[in-house]
Amino acid sequence: MQQVLVLEDEADVRELLVLHLKREGYQVQAFEDAEEALIAFQKNKFDLLILDWMLPKMSGLDFCKKVRSEFKTTVPILILTARADTMDKVLGLEIGADDYLTKPFEVREFVARARALLRRANPRANDGQEVGPFRLNNASKQIFAEKQELQLTPNEFKLLSTLIQKPGTTFERGDLITLIQGPGVAVVDRTIDTTVLGLRKKLGKFADYVETVRGFGYRFRG
Amino acid sequence: MMDNQDVIVALKKAEKMRIEFVANVSHELRTPLTSIKGYAETLLQDLEDGRSADPDFLKIILRNSDRLLALINDLLDLSAIESGADEIHPTELNVKEITDHVIMHVETLAQRKNTRIVTEFLAEHVKADPKRIEQVLTNLIDNAIKYCPPQSEIRVRWTDESKSIVLRVSDNGPGIAEKYLDRLFERFYRLDKGRSREMGGTGLGLSIVKHIMQRHNGSVNAESSLGQGTTFVCRFPK
């Protein structure tokens, strides 16, 4: 599982980032303080660093500079900041960040950028499993239907990727509910049907691939 | 009198401060907005996905909206006081009446922290704008309650000194190192950023106090040393 380090001193924003990264299936270590984050960075291997710029002691920019120059790391870095000036963006990128996102951002954009950085850093993530017209890329959290990427919600992705990986196998509703249950989320029984409904709509002409097994649950057409 | 060189240095300093202020305002406005927007988006997404809405997300949105509103109010206030748009009408006020009125408003917060507020009136009247002096008292007493540990004691003392009427708001909290004392009145300067936000501070309260005192041709300063508590001293000219 890919590991993400989050450094953000604002508790509400930090929890928001962690929630969405975990929902995407990444493992997250979050820090309020740059010094603590630096210790964790030296002890663990991370696939992506997400840094807030304006922090009380060591800034996110100094953190970025330090890990690039002292630790010679090439791990992708996404800077989050309330500084929207072009010169600030240029400075952030010149200092070694790979991407820059201005607050307030759209959660979907944040997740997409994090995903893109992880994909770029791990080209093998582009390899995937092919079943019928579908190609699943678990590492980059993408599913393609006839080479067209499906725009899925995290729940839809979890559901479809689980079904695709075992074509012909019937999954019970209870198991699927457990599967899509994420942190900070209360899942109701109806959730799975709503998710399948939404998924089928997005699959269009391939909707039949997700079959209902009456009284049990769902399966992917084998 | 300033020569040209001094004027250029002063203008450059003012411009640097203006740029810093704009950057700070931008940061302070964008941060709560990030939470409001982010959690609202999350709620919407969860509802679309058939998940039940987490009430904690709504609480976060509300808390950050309050923070944003407090900041906007303080910014507008500061701007009105600084620019002179809001006229000051000094009138003869009874210091006991005005102090008791402010304490009544902060009493709930004080009780929650088991903090005792002690008053002493060695002056009877002060010439000040009623709305603004209330703001000075509220900001100073409110700060003292918020940043002192529970069961602290806050003293509000009015004295009649030779040229001025003096208000002292003292606490027996942890105190502030001398090197930070002057910076306390800078806009958005916070000794402990995390705690200040947690307490709902905008970073502008003491700056507002400073400008109100200046508009009254008075002054404010802080006296403190570590472990000895802090006293804010406001001098109103007679």
Side-chain angles (χ1 to χ4, degrees):
Chain A
M1 202 184 275
Q2 289 175 297
Q3 297 259 3
V4 182
L5 180 148
V6 171
L7 174 57
E8 165 64 72
D9 64 325
E10 278 287 326
D12 290 341
V13 179
R14 187 171 61 245
E15 280 160 24
L16 180 75
L17 302 176
V18 171
L19 174 80
H20 284 278
L21 289 167
K22 281 191 174 172
R23 282 186 181 182
E24 286 295 303
Y26 303 124
Q27 255 183 4
V28 189
Q29 284 192 51
F31 303 90
E32 182 184 349
D33 179 82
E35 280 158 21
E36 281 172 32
L38 206 57
I39 294 167
F41 176 79
Q42 288 168 275
K43 282 186 187 163
N44 304 283
K45 187 194 166 294
F46 289 98
D47 301 289
L48 172 66
L49 310 182
I50 295 170
L51 313 173
D52 177 35
W53 181 326
M54 286 169 97
L55 298 166
K57 292 178 209 158
M58 185 197 292
S59 77
L61 217 57
D62 288 338
F63 186 96
C64 175
K65 228 190 292 182
K66 202 173 176 71
V67 295
R68 286 282 189 246
S69 60
E70 282 182 32
F71 300 101
K72 310 284 178 213
T73 182
T74 54
V75 64
I77 296 177
L78 169 62
I79 297 260
L80 297 179
T81 178
R83 302 172 78 118
D85 196 76
T86 307
M87 283 314 292
D88 289 329
K89 291 182 191 174
V90 172
L91 181 64
L93 294 170
E94 277 181 352
I95 245 151
D98 296 274
D99 203 356
Y100 191 104
L101 196 56
T102 308
K103 292 178 184 175
F105 46 79
E106 280 193 27
V107 169
R108 261 180 285 196
E109 186 182 354
F110 160 73
V111 169
R113 281 178 192 253
R115 219 190 279 156
L117 284 170
L118 284 162
R119 198 165 58 230
R120 232 180 292 154
N122 181 10
R124 286 188 60 201
N126 288 326
D127 302 341
Q129 180 186 352
E130 285 194 25
V131 184
F134 295 95
R135 185 163 61 82
L136 162 70
N137 188 328
N138 235 333
S140 65
K141 309 280 178 236
Q142 288 172 296
I143 301 178
F144 299 85
E146 283 186 340
K147 294 186 180 168
Q148 197 72 38
E149 186 182 351
L150 297 169
Q151 299 303 317
L152 304 176
T153 65
N155 278 358
E156 289 165 352
F157 175 83
K158 280 180 202 164
L159 178 68
L160 185 58
S161 63
T162 305
L163 297 175
I164 281 182
Q165 287 177 80
K166 287 190 176 172
T169 304
T170 298
F171 287 85
E172 287 188 23
R173 293 163 58 85
D175 292 340
L176 291 171
I177 287 169
T178 309
L179 173 85
I180 65 171
Q181 194 162 13
V185 176
V187 179
V188 291
D189 207 38
R190 212 178 55 248
T191 306
I192 202 72
D193 303 322
T194 319
T195 310
V196 169
L197 193 71
L199 179 62
R200 280 185 175 141
K201 266 189 205 162
K202 289 183 183 175
L203 293 179
K205 63 177 180 178
F206 304 114
D208 291 351
Y209 275 86
V210 177
E211 295 177 331
T212 305
V213 184
R214 209 171 285 274
F216 288 99
Y218 297 95
R219 73 172 165 231
F220 193 79
R221 200 165 83 196
Chain B
M1 187 149 158
M2 284 206 282
D3 63 18
N4 281 351
Q5 194 59 33
D6 289 341
V7 172
I8 292 168
V9 171
L11 283 174
K12 278 188 177 168
K13 195 181 164 199
E15 178 59 7
K16 190 171 170 261
M17 279 172 71
R18 192 195 62 81
I19 292 169
E20 272 174 21
F21 178 65
V22 172
N24 274 326
V25 170
S26 163
H27 180 264
E28 297 297 326
L29 289 171
R30 284 168 182 272
T31 304
L33 263 178
T34 304
S35 292
I36 295 169
K37 194 170 152 63
Y39 284 98
E41 234 184 292
T42 307
L43 278 172
L44 200 63
Q45 198 178 308
D46 286 355
L47 289 171
E48 279 170 8
D49 289 349
R51 295 164 173 152
S52 57
D54 188 333
D56 282 347
F57 295 171
L58 293 170
K59 284 182 198 159
I60 294 173
I61 291 172
L62 209 57
R63 189 170 61 229
N64 280 279
S65 307
D66 287 342
R67 183 172 146 190
L68 203 56
L69 184 65
L71 177 66
I72 291 167
N73 284 339
D74 274 2
L75 277 171
L76 291 175
D77 242 3
L78 192 60
S79 157
I81 301 162
E82 257 187 320
S83 67
D86 196 10
E87 282 179 28
I88 296 277
H89 299 290
T91 41
E92 204 70 19
L93 302 166
N94 181 305
V95 293
K96 186 176 182 321
E97 271 175 26
I98 202 132
T99 307
D100 288 346
H101 179 73
V102 168
I103 290 173
M104 203 175 71
H105 280 99
V106 294
E107 218 155 27
T108 319
L109 180 66
Q111 278 170 357
R112 223 181 293 152
K113 288 193 75 177
N114 268 333
T115 298
R116 208 160 74 98
I117 304 175
V118 181
T119 52
E120 191 179 1
F121 303 101
L122 302 172
E124 273 184 36
H125 295 95
V126 65
K127 203 169 178 196
D129 182 281
K131 180 181 151 200
R132 294 305 177 192
I133 196 173
E134 216 175 89
Q135 208 171 358
V136 166
L137 274 162
T138 306
N139 285 4
L140 294 179
I141 300 173
D142 195 67
N143 265 3
I145 301 171
K146 281 177 180 165
Y147 297 108
C148 279
Q151 285 159 348
S152 296
E153 187 176 279
I154 294 162
R155 299 187 78 85
V156 183
R157 187 167 188 259
W158 285 94
T159 51
D160 188 340
E161 296 181 11
S162 60
K163 287 179 184 163
S164 41
I165 300 293
V166 183
L167 161 70
R168 286 184 175 82
V169 178
S170 318
D171 64 57
N172 57 355
I176 301 162
E178 207 186 328
K179 61 179 177 178
Y180 299 122
L181 289 179
D182 282 343
R183 299 207 63 190
L184 290 177
F185 299 96
E186 284 176 24
R187 293 175 290 196
F188 295 118
Y189 182 77
R190 290 176 169 107
L191 274 173
D192 183 339
K193 190 175 136 191
R195 253 193 97 215
S196 161
R197 290 206 177 127
E198 204 181 296
M199 302 286 177
T202 62
L204 294 172
L206 288 178
S207 185
I208 289 174
V209 169
K210 185 183 93 177
H211 284 282
I212 292 175
M213 292 311 297
Q214 281 175 353
R215 288 293 304 278
H216 282 83
N217 297 318
S219 66
V220 58
N221 67 292
E223 295 166 356
S224 184
S225 50
L226 288 173
Q228 302 293 314
T230 307
T231 301
F232 285 90
V233 187
C234 297
R235 291 177 192 279
F236 295 85
K238 278 184 181 170

